[in-house]
Amino acid sequence: MLKHVSFVTRDLAATLAFYVRLGGVVEKDLTTAEGYRRGVVRLGEGRLQFFEVPGEAPAPHLHWAEHIALHVSGLRALLPEWRAAGVTVSRDLQPSPGGRDMAFVLDPDGRQVELLESGL
Protein backbone atom coordinates (compact mmCIF):
# COMPACT_ATOMS: atom_id res chain seq x y z
CA MET A 1 0.00 0.00 0.00
CA LEU A 2 1.36 3.43 -0.92
CA LYS A 3 2.46 5.48 2.09
CA HIS A 4 3.92 8.56 0.36
CA VAL A 5 6.02 9.87 -2.48
CA SER A 6 8.93 12.12 -1.54
CA PHE A 7 10.58 14.93 -3.51
CA VAL A 8 13.23 17.61 -3.07
CA THR A 9 12.12 21.25 -3.36
CA ARG A 10 14.00 24.58 -3.30
CA ASP A 11 11.07 26.46 -1.69
CA LEU A 12 8.97 24.45 0.74
CA ALA A 13 6.52 27.28 1.53
CA ALA A 14 5.68 27.80 -2.16
CA THR A 15 5.39 24.06 -2.75
CA LEU A 16 3.05 23.53 0.21
CA ALA A 17 0.92 26.51 -0.85
CA PHE A 18 0.65 25.09 -4.40
CA TYR A 19 -0.67 21.73 -3.15
CA VAL A 20 -3.03 23.39 -0.66
CA ARG A 21 -4.56 25.29 -3.61
CA LEU A 22 -5.12 21.87 -5.21
CA GLY A 23 -7.07 20.70 -2.16
CA GLY A 24 -4.24 19.31 -0.06
CA VAL A 25 -3.93 19.64 3.69
CA VAL A 26 -0.55 20.36 5.28
CA GLU A 27 0.09 17.70 7.93
CA LYS A 28 3.71 18.59 8.72
CA ASP A 29 6.00 21.57 8.27
CA LEU A 30 9.07 21.11 10.44
CA THR A 31 12.84 21.02 10.58
CA THR A 32 14.39 17.56 10.81
CA ALA A 33 17.16 16.59 13.22
CA GLU A 34 19.54 16.85 10.24
CA GLY A 35 18.48 20.49 9.67
CA TYR A 36 16.33 20.05 6.55
CA ARG A 37 12.86 21.58 6.29
CA ARG A 38 10.29 18.83 5.71
CA GLY A 39 6.66 19.21 4.68
CA VAL A 40 3.93 16.62 4.21
CA VAL A 41 0.71 17.28 2.31
CA ARG A 42 -2.26 14.90 2.43
CA LEU A 43 -4.19 14.58 -0.82
CA GLY A 44 -7.11 12.24 -0.20
CA GLU A 45 -5.61 9.02 1.18
CA GLY A 46 -2.12 9.68 -0.23
CA ARG A 47 0.69 11.90 0.93
CA LEU A 48 3.39 13.95 -0.75
CA GLN A 49 6.53 14.64 1.27
CA PHE A 50 8.99 17.41 0.42
CA PHE A 51 12.48 18.21 1.70
CA GLU A 52 13.66 21.78 1.17
CA VAL A 53 17.13 21.89 -0.31
CA PRO A 54 18.38 25.37 -1.22
CA GLY A 55 20.45 25.73 -4.37
CA GLU A 56 20.41 24.48 -7.92
CA ALA A 57 20.44 20.72 -7.39
CA PRO A 58 20.14 18.31 -4.46
CA ALA A 59 23.40 17.45 -2.76
CA PRO A 60 24.59 13.88 -3.49
CA HIS A 61 24.15 12.87 0.15
CA LEU A 62 20.40 13.53 -0.20
CA HIS A 63 19.82 10.65 -2.65
CA TRP A 64 17.32 9.19 -0.17
CA ALA A 65 15.10 12.31 -0.20
CA GLU A 66 13.37 11.46 -3.49
CA HIS A 67 11.68 8.12 -3.06
CA ILE A 68 8.48 6.12 -3.05
CA ALA A 69 7.38 4.76 0.34
CA LEU A 70 5.31 1.61 0.67
CA HIS A 71 3.78 -0.21 3.62
CA VAL A 72 4.57 -3.95 3.44
CA SER A 73 3.83 -6.88 5.72
CA GLY A 74 6.59 -9.24 6.88
CA LEU A 75 9.53 -7.01 5.90
CA ARG A 76 12.06 -8.99 7.96
CA ALA A 77 11.23 -12.16 6.01
CA LEU A 78 10.86 -10.46 2.62
CA LEU A 79 14.13 -8.53 2.62
CA PRO A 80 16.44 -11.60 2.48
CA GLU A 81 14.27 -13.11 -0.28
CA TRP A 82 14.51 -9.95 -2.38
CA ARG A 83 18.25 -9.67 -1.75
CA ALA A 84 18.68 -13.30 -2.93
CA ALA A 85 16.66 -12.44 -6.04
CA GLY A 86 19.12 -9.66 -6.90
CA VAL A 87 17.26 -6.64 -5.53
CA THR A 88 19.72 -3.96 -4.35
CA VAL A 89 19.23 -3.03 -0.71
CA SER A 90 20.44 0.57 -0.43
CA ARG A 91 19.67 1.05 3.27
CA ASP A 92 19.47 -2.06 5.41
CA LEU A 93 16.82 -2.96 7.94
CA GLN A 94 16.60 -0.44 10.78
CA PRO A 95 13.95 1.14 12.99
CA SER A 96 11.97 3.98 11.43
CA PRO A 97 11.46 7.22 13.39
CA GLY A 98 8.14 5.69 14.51
CA GLY A 99 9.81 2.46 15.66
CA ARG A 100 8.67 0.14 12.85
CA ASP A 101 11.08 -1.88 10.71
CA MET A 102 12.22 0.05 7.65
CA ALA A 103 14.59 -0.52 4.71
CA PHE A 104 15.31 1.05 1.32
CA VAL A 105 15.74 -0.87 -1.96
CA LEU A 106 16.29 0.21 -5.55
CA ASP A 107 13.74 -0.47 -8.26
CA PRO A 108 15.00 -1.67 -11.69
CA ASP A 109 15.55 1.97 -12.78
CA GLY A 110 17.51 2.85 -9.63
CA ARG A 111 14.74 4.73 -7.82
CA GLN A 112 14.76 4.57 -4.05
CA VAL A 113 11.81 2.64 -2.56
CA GLU A 114 11.26 2.88 1.19
CA LEU A 115 9.71 -0.24 2.69
CA LEU A 116 7.97 0.29 6.02
CA GLU A 117 6.52 -2.58 8.06
CA SER A 118 2.75 -2.20 8.06
CA GLY A 119 2.19 -4.45 11.04
CA LEU A 120 -0.88 -5.96 9.37
Side-chain angles (χ1 to χ4, degrees):
M1 174 189 309
L2 182 67
K3 180 179 183 277
H4 67 260
V5 179
S6 182
F7 299 102
V8 172
T9 181
R10 288 184 206 94
D11 185 342
L12 183 61
T15 299
L16 294 178
F18 175 84
Y19 285 100
V20 165
R21 283 192 298 276
L22 292 175
V25 175
V26 175
E27 291 187 337
K28 293 181 182 176
D29 182 353
L30 52 87
T31 301
T32 69
E34 298 83 15
Y36 303 114
R37 279 198 58 213
R38 175 180 170 235
V40 177
V41 176
R42 180 174 40 84
L43 286 166
E45 296 299 315
R47 286 169 179 62
L48 298 174
Q49 175 173 254
F50 299 94
F51 288 92
E52 184 177 83
V53 178
E56 292 299 312
H61 69 281
L62 292 176
H63 67 278
W64 54 266
E66 294 198 335
H67 65 273
I68 299 166
L70 303 173
H71 280 118
V72 297
S73 294
L75 180 57
R76 283 184 183 264
L78 289 173
L79 203 55
E81 292 174 20
W82 290 341
R83 194 179 260 130
V87 173
T88 300
V89 177
S90 57
R91 197 164 155 196
D92 215 345
L93 194 66
Q94 61 188 291
S96 72
R100 293 183 179 183
D101 283 343
M102 171 182 82
F104 281 74
V105 298
L106 299 181
D107 78 3
D109 292 310
R111 282 182 287 268
Q112 294 283 335
V113 179
E114 174 185 352
L115 305 172
L116 184 67
E117 177 61 50
S118 67
L120 299 176

